PDB file of all heavy atoms in Angstrom:
ATOM      1  N   GLY A   1      17.443   5.710 -17.032  1.00  0.00           N
ATOM      2  CA  GLY A   1      17.240   4.415 -17.677  1.00  0.00           C
ATOM      3  C   GLY A   1      17.280   3.235 -16.728  1.00  0.00           C
ATOM      4  O   GLY A   1      16.877   2.136 -17.100  1.00  0.00           O
ATOM      5  N   ILE A   2      17.760   3.424 -15.509  1.00  0.00           N
ATOM      6  CA  ILE A   2      17.816   2.340 -14.511  1.00  0.00           C
ATOM      7  C   ILE A   2      17.151   2.855 -13.226  1.00  0.00           C
ATOM      8  O   ILE A   2      17.814   3.205 -12.258  1.00  0.00           O
ATOM      9  CB  ILE A   2      19.269   1.892 -14.217  1.00  0.00           C
ATOM     10  CG1 ILE A   2      20.022   1.562 -15.492  1.00  0.00           C
ATOM     11  CG2 ILE A   2      19.261   0.682 -13.267  1.00  0.00           C
ATOM     12  CD1 ILE A   2      19.510   0.347 -16.252  1.00  0.00           C
ATOM     13  N   PRO A   3      15.821   2.930 -13.213  1.00  0.00           N
ATOM     14  CA  PRO A   3      15.150   3.477 -12.036  1.00  0.00           C
ATOM     15  C   PRO A   3      15.121   2.507 -10.858  1.00  0.00           C
ATOM     16  O   PRO A   3      15.063   1.299 -11.042  1.00  0.00           O
ATOM     17  CB  PRO A   3      13.725   3.742 -12.531  1.00  0.00           C
ATOM     18  CG  PRO A   3      13.525   2.732 -13.610  1.00  0.00           C
ATOM     19  CD  PRO A   3      14.880   2.558 -14.269  1.00  0.00           C
ATOM     20  N   VAL A   4      15.178   3.087  -9.678  1.00  0.00           N
ATOM     21  CA  VAL A   4      14.966   2.358  -8.427  1.00  0.00           C
ATOM     22  C   VAL A   4      14.006   3.212  -7.605  1.00  0.00           C
ATOM     23  O   VAL A   4      14.315   4.359  -7.289  1.00  0.00           O
ATOM     24  CB  VAL A   4      16.287   2.137  -7.654  1.00  0.00           C
ATOM     25  CG1 VAL A   4      16.003   1.601  -6.252  1.00  0.00           C
ATOM     26  CG2 VAL A   4      17.204   1.182  -8.403  1.00  0.00           C
ATOM     27  N   ALA A   5      12.840   2.665  -7.291  1.00  0.00           N
ATOM     28  CA  ALA A   5      11.938   3.352  -6.376  1.00  0.00           C
ATOM     29  C   ALA A   5      12.592   3.287  -5.005  1.00  0.00           C
ATOM     30  O   ALA A   5      13.082   2.236  -4.602  1.00  0.00           O
ATOM     31  CB  ALA A   5      10.578   2.663  -6.355  1.00  0.00           C
ATOM     32  N   THR A   6      12.630   4.403  -4.305  1.00  0.00           N
ATOM     33  CA  THR A   6      13.338   4.444  -3.030  1.00  0.00           C
ATOM     34  C   THR A   6      12.406   4.952  -1.939  1.00  0.00           C
ATOM     35  O   THR A   6      11.726   5.951  -2.120  1.00  0.00           O
ATOM     36  CB  THR A   6      14.582   5.355  -3.132  1.00  0.00           C
ATOM     37  OG1 THR A   6      15.362   4.936  -4.254  1.00  0.00           O
ATOM     38  CG2 THR A   6      15.419   5.292  -1.878  1.00  0.00           C
ATOM     39  N   VAL A   7      12.392   4.238  -0.830  1.00  0.00           N
ATOM     40  CA  VAL A   7      11.595   4.642   0.327  1.00  0.00           C
ATOM     41  C   VAL A   7      12.521   5.255   1.373  1.00  0.00           C
ATOM     42  O   VAL A   7      13.730   5.338   1.180  1.00  0.00           O
ATOM     43  CB  VAL A   7      10.793   3.450   0.896  1.00  0.00           C
ATOM     44  CG1 VAL A   7       9.765   2.939  -0.121  1.00  0.00           C
ATOM     45  CG2 VAL A   7      11.708   2.316   1.339  1.00  0.00           C
ATOM     46  N   ALA A   8      11.962   5.649   2.481  1.00  0.00           N
ATOM     47  CA  ALA A   8      12.719   6.300   3.547  1.00  0.00           C
ATOM     48  C   ALA A   8      13.775   5.364   4.141  1.00  0.00           C
ATOM     49  O   ALA A   8      13.699   4.141   4.003  1.00  0.00           O
ATOM     50  CB  ALA A   8      11.770   6.747   4.660  1.00  0.00           C
ATOM     51  N   ILE A   9      14.734   5.950   4.802  1.00  0.00           N
ATOM     52  CA  ILE A   9      15.739   5.184   5.529  1.00  0.00           C
ATOM     53  C   ILE A   9      15.014   4.245   6.501  1.00  0.00           C
ATOM     54  O   ILE A   9      14.144   4.678   7.263  1.00  0.00           O
ATOM     55  CB  ILE A   9      16.715   6.122   6.282  1.00  0.00           C
ATOM     56  CG1 ILE A   9      17.500   6.968   5.277  1.00  0.00           C
ATOM     57  CG2 ILE A   9      17.656   5.323   7.182  1.00  0.00           C
ATOM     58  CD1 ILE A   9      18.271   8.119   5.899  1.00  0.00           C
ATOM     59  N   ASP A  10      15.344   2.957   6.435  1.00  0.00           N
ATOM     60  CA  ASP A  10      14.724   1.898   7.238  1.00  0.00           C
ATOM     61  C   ASP A  10      13.230   1.730   6.944  1.00  0.00           C
ATOM     62  O   ASP A  10      12.488   1.179   7.755  1.00  0.00           O
ATOM     63  CB  ASP A  10      14.946   2.121   8.741  1.00  0.00           C
ATOM     64  CG  ASP A  10      16.401   1.980   9.155  1.00  0.00           C
ATOM     65  OD1 ASP A  10      17.222   1.486   8.357  1.00  0.00           O
ATOM     66  OD2 ASP A  10      16.720   2.368  10.301  1.00  0.00           O
ATOM     67  N   GLY A  11      12.765   2.176   5.786  1.00  0.00           N
ATOM     68  CA  GLY A  11      11.346   2.162   5.438  1.00  0.00           C
ATOM     69  C   GLY A  11      10.861   0.874   4.793  1.00  0.00           C
ATOM     70  O   GLY A  11      10.141   0.918   3.787  1.00  0.00           O
ATOM     71  N   ALA A  12      11.213  -0.253   5.351  1.00  0.00           N
ATOM     72  CA  ALA A  12      10.869  -1.543   4.740  1.00  0.00           C
ATOM     73  C   ALA A  12       9.364  -1.801   4.704  1.00  0.00           C
ATOM     74  O   ALA A  12       8.880  -2.450   3.779  1.00  0.00           O
ATOM     75  CB  ALA A  12      11.591  -2.675   5.462  1.00  0.00           C
ATOM     76  N   ALA A  13       8.614  -1.324   5.684  1.00  0.00           N
ATOM     77  CA  ALA A  13       7.161  -1.536   5.665  1.00  0.00           C
ATOM     78  C   ALA A  13       6.557  -0.853   4.443  1.00  0.00           C
ATOM     79  O   ALA A  13       5.740  -1.448   3.730  1.00  0.00           O
ATOM     80  CB  ALA A  13       6.523  -1.021   6.952  1.00  0.00           C
ATOM     81  N   ASN A  14       6.971   0.385   4.172  1.00  0.00           N
ATOM     82  CA  ASN A  14       6.464   1.075   2.985  1.00  0.00           C
ATOM     83  C   ASN A  14       6.930   0.393   1.707  1.00  0.00           C
ATOM     84  O   ASN A  14       6.212   0.378   0.709  1.00  0.00           O
ATOM     85  CB  ASN A  14       6.872   2.549   2.974  1.00  0.00           C
ATOM     86  CG  ASN A  14       5.808   3.440   3.559  1.00  0.00           C
ATOM     87  OD1 ASN A  14       4.718   3.001   3.890  1.00  0.00           O
ATOM     88  ND2 ASN A  14       6.119   4.717   3.674  1.00  0.00           N
ATOM     89  N   ALA A  15       8.112  -0.180   1.715  1.00  0.00           N
ATOM     90  CA  ALA A  15       8.591  -0.912   0.538  1.00  0.00           C
ATOM     91  C   ALA A  15       7.677  -2.093   0.249  1.00  0.00           C
ATOM     92  O   ALA A  15       7.339  -2.360  -0.917  1.00  0.00           O
ATOM     93  CB  ALA A  15      10.028  -1.369   0.747  1.00  0.00           C
ATOM     94  N   ALA A  16       7.254  -2.790   1.284  1.00  0.00           N
ATOM     95  CA  ALA A  16       6.347  -3.923   1.099  1.00  0.00           C
ATOM     96  C   ALA A  16       4.987  -3.464   0.600  1.00  0.00           C
ATOM     97  O   ALA A  16       4.388  -4.104  -0.269  1.00  0.00           O
ATOM     98  CB  ALA A  16       6.202  -4.707   2.398  1.00  0.00           C
ATOM     99  N   ILE A  17       4.491  -2.357   1.127  1.00  0.00           N
ATOM    100  CA  ILE A  17       3.210  -1.827   0.660  1.00  0.00           C
ATOM    101  C   ILE A  17       3.319  -1.432  -0.808  1.00  0.00           C
ATOM    102  O   ILE A  17       2.431  -1.732  -1.618  1.00  0.00           O
ATOM    103  CB  ILE A  17       2.761  -0.629   1.524  1.00  0.00           C
ATOM    104  CG1 ILE A  17       2.465  -1.088   2.951  1.00  0.00           C
ATOM    105  CG2 ILE A  17       1.538   0.046   0.908  1.00  0.00           C
ATOM    106  CD1 ILE A  17       2.307   0.042   3.954  1.00  0.00           C
ATOM    107  N   LEU A  18       4.410  -0.777  -1.182  1.00  0.00           N
ATOM    108  CA  LEU A  18       4.610  -0.382  -2.574  1.00  0.00           C
ATOM    109  C   LEU A  18       4.703  -1.612  -3.471  1.00  0.00           C
ATOM    110  O   LEU A  18       4.097  -1.653  -4.550  1.00  0.00           O
ATOM    111  CB  LEU A  18       5.856   0.490  -2.705  1.00  0.00           C
ATOM    112  CG  LEU A  18       6.169   1.043  -4.090  1.00  0.00           C
ATOM    113  CD1 LEU A  18       4.995   1.826  -4.679  1.00  0.00           C
ATOM    114  CD2 LEU A  18       7.413   1.918  -4.022  1.00  0.00           C
ATOM    115  N   ALA A  19       5.428  -2.633  -3.052  1.00  0.00           N
ATOM    116  CA  ALA A  19       5.505  -3.872  -3.834  1.00  0.00           C
ATOM    117  C   ALA A  19       4.107  -4.486  -3.989  1.00  0.00           C
ATOM    118  O   ALA A  19       3.741  -4.950  -5.076  1.00  0.00           O
ATOM    119  CB  ALA A  19       6.457  -4.859  -3.168  1.00  0.00           C
ATOM    120  N   ALA A  20       3.328  -4.482  -2.917  1.00  0.00           N
ATOM    121  CA  ALA A  20       1.961  -5.010  -2.980  1.00  0.00           C
ATOM    122  C   ALA A  20       1.113  -4.209  -3.959  1.00  0.00           C
ATOM    123  O   ALA A  20       0.339  -4.777  -4.744  1.00  0.00           O
ATOM    124  CB  ALA A  20       1.327  -4.993  -1.586  1.00  0.00           C
ATOM    125  N   GLN A  21       1.257  -2.890  -3.957  1.00  0.00           N
ATOM    126  CA  GLN A  21       0.505  -2.060  -4.893  1.00  0.00           C
ATOM    127  C   GLN A  21       0.898  -2.378  -6.337  1.00  0.00           C
ATOM    128  O   GLN A  21       0.038  -2.402  -7.224  1.00  0.00           O
ATOM    129  CB  GLN A  21       0.729  -0.582  -4.598  1.00  0.00           C
ATOM    130  CG  GLN A  21       0.072  -0.138  -3.315  1.00  0.00           C
ATOM    131  CD  GLN A  21       0.424   1.308  -2.942  1.00  0.00           C
ATOM    132  OE1 GLN A  21       1.494   1.806  -3.262  1.00  0.00           O
ATOM    133  NE2 GLN A  21      -0.488   1.962  -2.258  1.00  0.00           N
ATOM    134  N   MET A  22       2.164  -2.635  -6.561  1.00  0.00           N
ATOM    135  CA  MET A  22       2.621  -2.985  -7.911  1.00  0.00           C
ATOM    136  C   MET A  22       1.994  -4.301  -8.364  1.00  0.00           C
ATOM    137  O   MET A  22       1.521  -4.416  -9.493  1.00  0.00           O
ATOM    138  CB  MET A  22       4.150  -3.080  -7.938  1.00  0.00           C
ATOM    139  CG  MET A  22       4.829  -1.754  -7.770  1.00  0.00           C
ATOM    140  SD  MET A  22       6.614  -1.978  -7.521  1.00  0.00           S
ATOM    141  CE  MET A  22       7.154  -0.265  -7.489  1.00  0.00           C
ATOM    142  N   ILE A  23       1.982  -5.283  -7.487  1.00  0.00           N
ATOM    143  CA  ILE A  23       1.398  -6.582  -7.824  1.00  0.00           C
ATOM    144  C   ILE A  23      -0.121  -6.465  -7.965  1.00  0.00           C
ATOM    145  O   ILE A  23      -0.737  -7.124  -8.805  1.00  0.00           O
ATOM    146  CB  ILE A  23       1.804  -7.631  -6.774  1.00  0.00           C
ATOM    147  CG1 ILE A  23       3.309  -7.898  -6.896  1.00  0.00           C
ATOM    148  CG2 ILE A  23       1.002  -8.909  -6.923  1.00  0.00           C
ATOM    149  CD1 ILE A  23       3.882  -8.728  -5.787  1.00  0.00           C
ATOM    150  N   ALA A  24      -0.732  -5.573  -7.185  1.00  0.00           N
ATOM    151  CA  ALA A  24      -2.186  -5.406  -7.200  1.00  0.00           C
ATOM    152  C   ALA A  24      -2.707  -4.819  -8.511  1.00  0.00           C
ATOM    153  O   ALA A  24      -3.912  -4.905  -8.779  1.00  0.00           O
ATOM    154  CB  ALA A  24      -2.630  -4.534  -6.024  1.00  0.00           C
ATOM    155  N   VAL A  25      -1.841  -4.279  -9.325  1.00  0.00           N
ATOM    156  CA  VAL A  25      -2.267  -3.780 -10.636  1.00  0.00           C
ATOM    157  C   VAL A  25      -2.965  -4.895 -11.419  1.00  0.00           C
ATOM    158  O   VAL A  25      -3.923  -4.646 -12.148  1.00  0.00           O
ATOM    159  CB  VAL A  25      -1.061  -3.210 -11.425  1.00  0.00           C
ATOM    160  CG1 VAL A  25      -1.399  -2.969 -12.879  1.00  0.00           C
ATOM    161  CG2 VAL A  25      -0.562  -1.929 -10.767  1.00  0.00           C
ATOM    162  N   ASN A  26      -2.516  -6.126 -11.238  1.00  0.00           N
ATOM    163  CA  ASN A  26      -3.089  -7.270 -11.951  1.00  0.00           C
ATOM    164  C   ASN A  26      -3.732  -8.289 -11.020  1.00  0.00           C
ATOM    165  O   ASN A  26      -3.922  -9.438 -11.413  1.00  0.00           O
ATOM    166  CB  ASN A  26      -1.998  -7.961 -12.785  1.00  0.00           C
ATOM    167  CG  ASN A  26      -1.502  -7.067 -13.885  1.00  0.00           C
ATOM    168  OD1 ASN A  26      -2.279  -6.505 -14.650  1.00  0.00           O
ATOM    169  ND2 ASN A  26      -0.188  -6.902 -13.956  1.00  0.00           N
ATOM    170  N   ASP A  27      -4.052  -7.881  -9.797  1.00  0.00           N
ATOM    171  CA  ASP A  27      -4.644  -8.800  -8.824  1.00  0.00           C
ATOM    172  C   ASP A  27      -5.740  -8.051  -8.066  1.00  0.00           C
ATOM    173  O   ASP A  27      -5.465  -7.321  -7.103  1.00  0.00           O
ATOM    174  CB  ASP A  27      -3.555  -9.307  -7.867  1.00  0.00           C
ATOM    175  CG  ASP A  27      -4.053 -10.374  -6.913  1.00  0.00           C
ATOM    176  OD1 ASP A  27      -5.188 -10.259  -6.400  1.00  0.00           O
ATOM    177  OD2 ASP A  27      -3.289 -11.317  -6.648  1.00  0.00           O
ATOM    178  N   SER A  28      -6.976  -8.246  -8.497  1.00  0.00           N
ATOM    179  CA  SER A  28      -8.078  -7.457  -7.932  1.00  0.00           C
ATOM    180  C   SER A  28      -8.339  -7.769  -6.464  1.00  0.00           C
ATOM    181  O   SER A  28      -8.739  -6.882  -5.705  1.00  0.00           O
ATOM    182  CB  SER A  28      -9.351  -7.641  -8.759  1.00  0.00           C
ATOM    183  OG  SER A  28      -9.720  -8.999  -8.810  1.00  0.00           O
ATOM    184  N   ASP A  29      -8.114  -9.007  -6.037  1.00  0.00           N
ATOM    185  CA  ASP A  29      -8.315  -9.330  -4.619  1.00  0.00           C
ATOM    186  C   ASP A  29      -7.314  -8.578  -3.741  1.00  0.00           C
ATOM    187  O   ASP A  29      -7.676  -8.024  -2.702  1.00  0.00           O
ATOM    188  CB  ASP A  29      -8.179 -10.830  -4.377  1.00  0.00           C
ATOM    189  CG  ASP A  29      -9.333 -11.632  -4.966  1.00  0.00           C
ATOM    190  OD1 ASP A  29     -10.415 -11.050  -5.181  1.00  0.00           O
ATOM    191  OD2 ASP A  29      -9.139 -12.837  -5.214  1.00  0.00           O
ATOM    192  N   LEU A  30      -6.058  -8.561  -4.160  1.00  0.00           N
ATOM    193  CA  LEU A  30      -5.038  -7.824  -3.416  1.00  0.00           C
ATOM    194  C   LEU A  30      -5.349  -6.332  -3.431  1.00  0.00           C
ATOM    195  O   LEU A  30      -5.198  -5.647  -2.421  1.00  0.00           O
ATOM    196  CB  LEU A  30      -3.645  -8.103  -3.992  1.00  0.00           C
ATOM    197  CG  LEU A  30      -2.474  -7.397  -3.311  1.00  0.00           C
ATOM    198  CD1 LEU A  30      -2.414  -7.705  -1.811  1.00  0.00           C
ATOM    199  CD2 LEU A  30      -1.159  -7.783  -3.991  1.00  0.00           C
ATOM    200  N   TYR A  31      -5.809  -5.837  -4.568  1.00  0.00           N
ATOM    201  CA  TYR A  31      -6.186  -4.422  -4.674  1.00  0.00           C
ATOM    202  C   TYR A  31      -7.259  -4.081  -3.635  1.00  0.00           C
ATOM    203  O   TYR A  31      -7.156  -3.067  -2.939  1.00  0.00           O
ATOM    204  CB  TYR A  31      -6.690  -4.113  -6.087  1.00  0.00           C
ATOM    205  CG  TYR A  31      -6.980  -2.655  -6.316  1.00  0.00           C
ATOM    206  CD1 TYR A  31      -6.004  -1.816  -6.842  1.00  0.00           C
ATOM    207  CD2 TYR A  31      -8.218  -2.111  -6.000  1.00  0.00           C
ATOM    208  CE1 TYR A  31      -6.259  -0.466  -7.054  1.00  0.00           C
ATOM    209  CE2 TYR A  31      -8.481  -0.769  -6.198  1.00  0.00           C
ATOM    210  CZ  TYR A  31      -7.499   0.051  -6.728  1.00  0.00           C
ATOM    211  OH  TYR A  31      -7.754   1.390  -6.929  1.00  0.00           O
ATOM    212  N   GLU A  32      -8.263  -4.939  -3.511  1.00  0.00           N
ATOM    213  CA  GLU A  32      -9.344  -4.700  -2.546  1.00  0.00           C
ATOM    214  C   GLU A  32      -8.833  -4.772  -1.111  1.00  0.00           C
ATOM    215  O   GLU A  32      -9.268  -3.999  -0.253  1.00  0.00           O
ATOM    216  CB  GLU A  32     -10.495  -5.679  -2.774  1.00  0.00           C
ATOM    217  CG  GLU A  32     -11.242  -5.437  -4.067  1.00  0.00           C
ATOM    218  CD  GLU A  32     -11.788  -4.019  -4.195  1.00  0.00           C
ATOM    219  OE1 GLU A  32     -12.298  -3.466  -3.197  1.00  0.00           O
ATOM    220  OE2 GLU A  32     -11.683  -3.451  -5.304  1.00  0.00           O
ATOM    221  N   THR A  33      -7.898  -5.664  -0.838  1.00  0.00           N
ATOM    222  CA  THR A  33      -7.292  -5.753   0.488  1.00  0.00           C
ATOM    223  C   THR A  33      -6.571  -4.454   0.831  1.00  0.00           C
ATOM    224  O   THR A  33      -6.713  -3.924   1.946  1.00  0.00           O
ATOM    225  CB  THR A  33      -6.300  -6.939   0.547  1.00  0.00           C
ATOM    226  OG1 THR A  33      -7.022  -8.151   0.353  1.00  0.00           O
ATOM    227  CG2 THR A  33      -5.565  -6.985   1.878  1.00  0.00           C
ATOM    228  N   LEU A  34      -5.809  -3.941  -0.115  1.00  0.00           N
ATOM    229  CA  LEU A  34      -5.084  -2.683   0.113  1.00  0.00           C
ATOM    230  C   LEU A  34      -6.039  -1.505   0.267  1.00  0.00           C
ATOM    231  O   LEU A  34      -5.824  -0.628   1.106  1.00  0.00           O
ATOM    232  CB  LEU A  34      -4.099  -2.435  -1.029  1.00  0.00           C
ATOM    233  CG  LEU A  34      -2.955  -3.445  -1.135  1.00  0.00           C
ATOM    234  CD1 LEU A  34      -2.194  -3.239  -2.432  1.00  0.00           C
ATOM    235  CD2 LEU A  34      -2.031  -3.352   0.062  1.00  0.00           C
ATOM    236  N   ALA A  35      -7.104  -1.488  -0.526  1.00  0.00           N
ATOM    237  CA  ALA A  35      -8.093  -0.411  -0.424  1.00  0.00           C
ATOM    238  C   ALA A  35      -8.780  -0.432   0.940  1.00  0.00           C
ATOM    239  O   ALA A  35      -8.991   0.623   1.561  1.00  0.00           O
ATOM    240  CB  ALA A  35      -9.124  -0.528  -1.547  1.00  0.00           C
ATOM    241  N   ALA A  36      -9.109  -1.622   1.432  1.00  0.00           N
ATOM    242  CA  ALA A  36      -9.746  -1.743   2.745  1.00  0.00           C
ATOM    243  C   ALA A  36      -8.800  -1.283   3.849  1.00  0.00           C
ATOM    244  O   ALA A  36      -9.223  -0.601   4.794  1.00  0.00           O
ATOM    245  CB  ALA A  36     -10.190  -3.186   2.988  1.00  0.00           C
ATOM    246  N   GLU A  37      -7.521  -1.628   3.721  1.00  0.00           N
ATOM    247  CA  GLU A  37      -6.548  -1.191   4.725  1.00  0.00           C
ATOM    248  C   GLU A  37      -6.406   0.330   4.718  1.00  0.00           C
ATOM    249  O   GLU A  37      -6.361   0.968   5.773  1.00  0.00           O
ATOM    250  CB  GLU A  37      -5.189  -1.836   4.470  1.00  0.00           C
ATOM    251  CG  GLU A  37      -4.146  -1.417   5.502  1.00  0.00           C
ATOM    252  CD  GLU A  37      -2.796  -2.043   5.249  1.00  0.00           C
ATOM    253  OE1 GLU A  37      -2.183  -1.748   4.210  1.00  0.00           O
ATOM    254  OE2 GLU A  37      -2.366  -2.822   6.114  1.00  0.00           O
ATOM    255  N   ARG A  38      -6.380   0.913   3.556  1.00  0.00           N
ATOM    256  CA  ARG A  38      -6.272   2.374   3.451  1.00  0.00           C
ATOM    257  C   ARG A  38      -7.477   3.045   4.098  1.00  0.00           C
ATOM    258  O   ARG A  38      -7.344   4.028   4.822  1.00  0.00           O
ATOM    259  CB  ARG A  38      -6.133   2.749   1.973  1.00  0.00           C
ATOM    260  CG  ARG A  38      -6.057   4.209   1.666  1.00  0.00           C
ATOM    261  CD  ARG A  38      -4.699   4.853   1.603  1.00  0.00           C
ATOM    262  NE  ARG A  38      -3.637   4.220   0.906  1.00  0.00           N
ATOM    263  CZ  ARG A  38      -3.113   4.625  -0.247  1.00  0.00           C
ATOM    264  NH1 ARG A  38      -3.632   5.655  -0.884  1.00  0.00           N
ATOM    265  NH2 ARG A  38      -2.064   4.030  -0.755  1.00  0.00           N
ATOM    266  N   LYS A  39      -8.675   2.493   3.842  1.00  0.00           N
ATOM    267  CA  LYS A  39      -9.895   3.051   4.429  1.00  0.00           C
ATOM    268  C   LYS A  39      -9.866   2.925   5.954  1.00  0.00           C
ATOM    269  O   LYS A  39     -10.220   3.861   6.676  1.00  0.00           O
ATOM    270  CB  LYS A  39     -11.121   2.341   3.852  1.00  0.00           C
ATOM    271  CG  LYS A  39     -12.417   2.879   4.373  1.00  0.00           C
ATOM    272  CD  LYS A  39     -13.609   2.180   3.751  1.00  0.00           C
ATOM    273  CE  LYS A  39     -14.894   2.734   4.335  1.00  0.00           C
ATOM    274  NZ  LYS A  39     -16.065   1.991   3.891  1.00  0.00           N
ATOM    275  N   GLU A  40      -9.437   1.765   6.435  1.00  0.00           N
ATOM    276  CA  GLU A  40      -9.342   1.530   7.883  1.00  0.00           C
ATOM    277  C   GLU A  40      -8.373   2.516   8.541  1.00  0.00           C
ATOM    278  O   GLU A  40      -8.662   3.062   9.614  1.00  0.00           O
ATOM    279  CB  GLU A  40      -8.886   0.099   8.136  1.00  0.00           C
ATOM    280  CG  GLU A  40      -8.772  -0.277   9.595  1.00  0.00           C
ATOM    281  CD  GLU A  40      -8.266  -1.699   9.768  1.00  0.00           C
ATOM    282  OE1 GLU A  40      -8.742  -2.595   9.053  1.00  0.00           O
ATOM    283  OE2 GLU A  40      -7.378  -1.897  10.620  1.00  0.00           O
ATOM    284  N   ASN A  41      -7.244   2.751   7.898  1.00  0.00           N
ATOM    285  CA  ASN A  41      -6.269   3.711   8.426  1.00  0.00           C
ATOM    286  C   ASN A  41      -6.846   5.115   8.482  1.00  0.00           C
ATOM    287  O   ASN A  41      -6.629   5.846   9.456  1.00  0.00           O
ATOM    288  CB  ASN A  41      -4.984   3.693   7.595  1.00  0.00           C
ATOM    289  CG  ASN A  41      -4.180   2.433   7.809  1.00  0.00           C
ATOM    290  OD1 ASN A  41      -4.338   1.748   8.807  1.00  0.00           O
ATOM    291  ND2 ASN A  41      -3.328   2.117   6.854  1.00  0.00           N
ATOM    292  N   ALA A  42      -7.589   5.500   7.463  1.00  0.00           N
ATOM    293  CA  ALA A  42      -8.225   6.825   7.450  1.00  0.00           C
ATOM    294  C   ALA A  42      -9.246   6.940   8.576  1.00  0.00           C
ATOM    295  O   ALA A  42      -9.322   7.967   9.268  1.00  0.00           O
ATOM    296  CB  ALA A  42      -8.881   7.082   6.097  1.00  0.00           C
ATOM    297  N   GLU A  43     -10.027   5.889   8.774  1.00  0.00           N
ATOM    298  CA  GLU A  43     -11.039   5.906   9.832  1.00  0.00           C
ATOM    299  C   GLU A  43     -10.402   6.041  11.215  1.00  0.00           C
ATOM    300  O   GLU A  43     -10.936   6.730  12.083  1.00  0.00           O
ATOM    301  CB  GLU A  43     -11.906   4.652   9.746  1.00  0.00           C
ATOM    302  CG  GLU A  43     -12.833   4.664   8.546  1.00  0.00           C
ATOM    303  CD  GLU A  43     -13.529   3.334   8.291  1.00  0.00           C
ATOM    304  OE1 GLU A  43     -13.253   2.338   9.013  1.00  0.00           O
ATOM    305  OE2 GLU A  43     -14.346   3.288   7.355  1.00  0.00           O
ATOM    306  N   LYS A  44      -9.259   5.409  11.424  1.00  0.00           N
ATOM    307  CA  LYS A  44      -8.556   5.524  12.706  1.00  0.00           C
ATOM    308  C   LYS A  44      -8.124   6.968  12.963  1.00  0.00           C
ATOM    309  O   LYS A  44      -8.248   7.477  14.083  1.00  0.00           O
ATOM    310  CB  LYS A  44      -7.335   4.609  12.734  1.00  0.00           C
ATOM    311  CG  LYS A  44      -7.654   3.145  12.862  1.00  0.00           C
ATOM    312  CD  LYS A  44      -6.385   2.305  12.825  1.00  0.00           C
ATOM    313  CE  LYS A  44      -6.683   0.833  12.870  1.00  0.00           C
ATOM    314  NZ  LYS A  44      -5.458   0.017  12.744  1.00  0.00           N
ATOM    315  N   ILE A  45      -7.607   7.619  11.943  1.00  0.00           N
ATOM    316  CA  ILE A  45      -7.181   9.020  12.096  1.00  0.00           C
ATOM    317  C   ILE A  45      -8.381   9.913  12.372  1.00  0.00           C
ATOM    318  O   ILE A  45      -8.331  10.796  13.250  1.00  0.00           O
ATOM    319  CB  ILE A  45      -6.426   9.500  10.839  1.00  0.00           C
ATOM    320  CG1 ILE A  45      -5.122   8.723  10.671  1.00  0.00           C
ATOM    321  CG2 ILE A  45      -6.181  11.006  10.866  1.00  0.00           C
ATOM    322  CD1 ILE A  45      -4.135   8.903  11.796  1.00  0.00           C
ATOM    323  N   LEU A  46      -9.479   9.708  11.638  1.00  0.00           N
ATOM    324  CA  LEU A  46     -10.666  10.538  11.838  1.00  0.00           C
ATOM    325  C   LEU A  46     -11.262  10.326  13.235  1.00  0.00           C
ATOM    326  O   LEU A  46     -11.755  11.275  13.850  1.00  0.00           O
ATOM    327  CB  LEU A  46     -11.698  10.256  10.750  1.00  0.00           C
ATOM    328  CG  LEU A  46     -11.264  10.703   9.354  1.00  0.00           C
ATOM    329  CD1 LEU A  46     -12.278  10.241   8.311  1.00  0.00           C
ATOM    330  CD2 LEU A  46     -11.039  12.203   9.291  1.00  0.00           C
ATOM    331  N   GLU A  47     -11.186   9.111  13.754  1.00  0.00           N
ATOM    332  CA  GLU A  47     -11.667   8.853  15.117  1.00  0.00           C
ATOM    333  C   GLU A  47     -10.796   9.593  16.131  1.00  0.00           C
ATOM    334  O   GLU A  47     -11.304  10.176  17.089  1.00  0.00           O
ATOM    335  CB  GLU A  47     -11.689   7.348  15.400  1.00  0.00           C
ATOM    336  CG  GLU A  47     -12.122   7.001  16.816  1.00  0.00           C
ATOM    337  CD  GLU A  47     -13.515   7.513  17.185  1.00  0.00           C
ATOM    338  OE1 GLU A  47     -14.361   7.720  16.290  1.00  0.00           O
ATOM    339  OE2 GLU A  47     -13.752   7.726  18.396  1.00  0.00           O
TER     340      GLU A  47
END
């Protein structure tokens, strides 16, 4: 009844990304920013 989403020890960067994803549910511009970042990260790994 009292949930807390928990990230890794010292995982503040992921906490910020998760918070951004939560806000992006109702913010299409932020959603597109996050989608572009995810695509860019995938492209870096594939390269």
Side-chain angles (χ1 to χ4, degrees):
I2 308 294
V4 170
T6 307
V7 296
I9 296 168
D10 293 348
N14 265 355
I17 294 167
L18 183 55
Q21 290 174 330
M22 291 170 176
I23 292 170
V25 167
N26 294 310
D27 186 320
S28 58
D29 290 338
L30 180 56
Y31 185 93
E32 291 304 319
T33 296
L34 295 170
E37 181 180 64
R38 178 91 45 109
K39 182 178 179 187
E40 181 182 316
N41 289 339
E43 289 170 356
K44 287 178 183 176
I45 295 298
L46 293 174
E47 178 59 25

